[in-house]
Amino acid sequence: MSLEAIGALREPVRRAVYEYVVARAEPVSRNEVAEATAIGRTLAAFHLEKLAEAGLLETAYAPRSGGPGAGRPAKLYRRSAAEHAVTLPPRDYRLLADVLASAVERSGVEPAVHAAARELGAKLAGGEVFARLGTLGYEPFVDADQTIRLRNCPFHALAEAYPALVCGLNLALLDGLVGDRGWDVRLDPGPTGCCVVIRSKNNQD
């Protein structure tokens, strides 16, 4: 299924539709997608449904808040929580990561792991912070409070299985990446996205 899902993004318009949807903080309708990507509503709906069939998007219904059809449920789309990866030949790094994470929790060596993560973050630092976070897969955006939030957690599957360990490791990694460059890095879990947020120390109250 992962190969089929990734193959669904080969079509340029469909990829543009997908990139718009996943960049939004809230689920979007076909009308929003059509307007944003400059295509017709019928074509937008076609590509959205193909992406949903491939497991790349999830759908839900919610009442329209205004305009034509207000009060009637509209079909909305958002990024799927499912992960897709293709390795040839097959590799299972997640299995090894599970073993290592379990061993760390049992042995109580979290401080050493956090120190190693912070050191790695410092080695990965370089260039503009926003761009660097994007390169590492965090999908950063700036909210109304000028806080950098991260739409994607690169370690999501492991964070669900070992939240305390992995979120602490992620915090240490990002602190090493940006913490000594005028940024405050802290845990602020939300319903979606990464549990770490980043704010300029110059914007602190």
Side-chain angles (χ1 to χ4, degrees), residues 40 98 103 160-161:
D98 272 320
E160 286 194 321

Side-chain angles (χ1 to χ4, degrees), residues 18 22 79-83 133-141 149-157 170 174 192-196:
Y18 175 76
V22 300
R79 188 216 306 263
S80 170
E83 296 183 4
L133 291 168
T135 300
L136 294 172
Y138 284 98
E139 298 183 6
F141 69 99
R149 295 189 178 272
L150 309 168
R151 287 193 180 92
N152 183 51
C153 173
F155 320 112
H156 175 72
N170 194 20
L174 291 175
T192 61
C194 181
C195 60
V196 179

Side-chain angles (χ1 to χ4, degrees), residues 11-190:
E11 206 283 328
V13 175
R14 190 171 301 162
R15 184 174 182 84
V17 168
Y18 175 76
E19 289 176 347
Y20 174 76
V21 175
V22 300
R24 310 302 297 173
E26 301 293 334
V28 298
S29 68
R30 70 170 184 175
N31 291 352
E32 292 175 80
V33 172
E35 182 177 352
T37 58
I39 60 177
R41 290 186 299 170
T42 301
L43 183 58
F46 171 76
H47 285 302
L48 287 165
E49 287 302 312
K50 288 296 182 182
L51 291 166
E53 290 172 8
L56 292 167
L57 298 180
E58 295 177 349
T59 61
Y61 288 88
R64 298 175 187 268
S65 58
R72 295 202 303 266
K75 194 172 188 177
L76 302 178
Y77 300 83
R78 64 183 178 187
R79 188 216 306 263
S80 170
E83 296 183 4
H84 301 276
V86 176
T87 57
L88 298 173
R91 304 282 191 248
D92 193 353
Y93 301 111
R94 166 65 193 277
L95 178 60
L96 178 60
D98 272 320
V99 172
L100 294 174
S102 179
V104 168
E105 285 194 335
R106 293 181 184 183
S107 59
V109 295
E110 286 92 339
V113 172
H114 293 168
R118 191 170 286 104
E119 291 173 7
L120 178 58
K123 291 179 181 178
L124 294 173
E128 196 271 328
V129 167
F130 210 81
R132 194 73 185 106
L133 291 168
T135 300
L136 294 172
Y138 284 98
E139 298 183 6
F141 69 99
V142 179
D143 69 9
D145 296 325
Q146 298 304 303
T147 296
I148 297 178
R149 295 189 178 272
L150 309 168
R151 287 193 180 92
N152 183 51
C153 173
F155 320 112
H156 175 72
L158 281 175
E160 286 194 321
Y162 310 94
L165 172 64
V166 177
C167 290
L169 184 153
N170 194 20
L171 176 67
L173 178 72
L174 291 175
D175 186 54
L177 186 75
V178 305
D180 62 347
R181 302 168 66 188
W183 297 91
D184 176 47
V185 184
R186 66 183 186 276
L187 290 174
D188 185 14

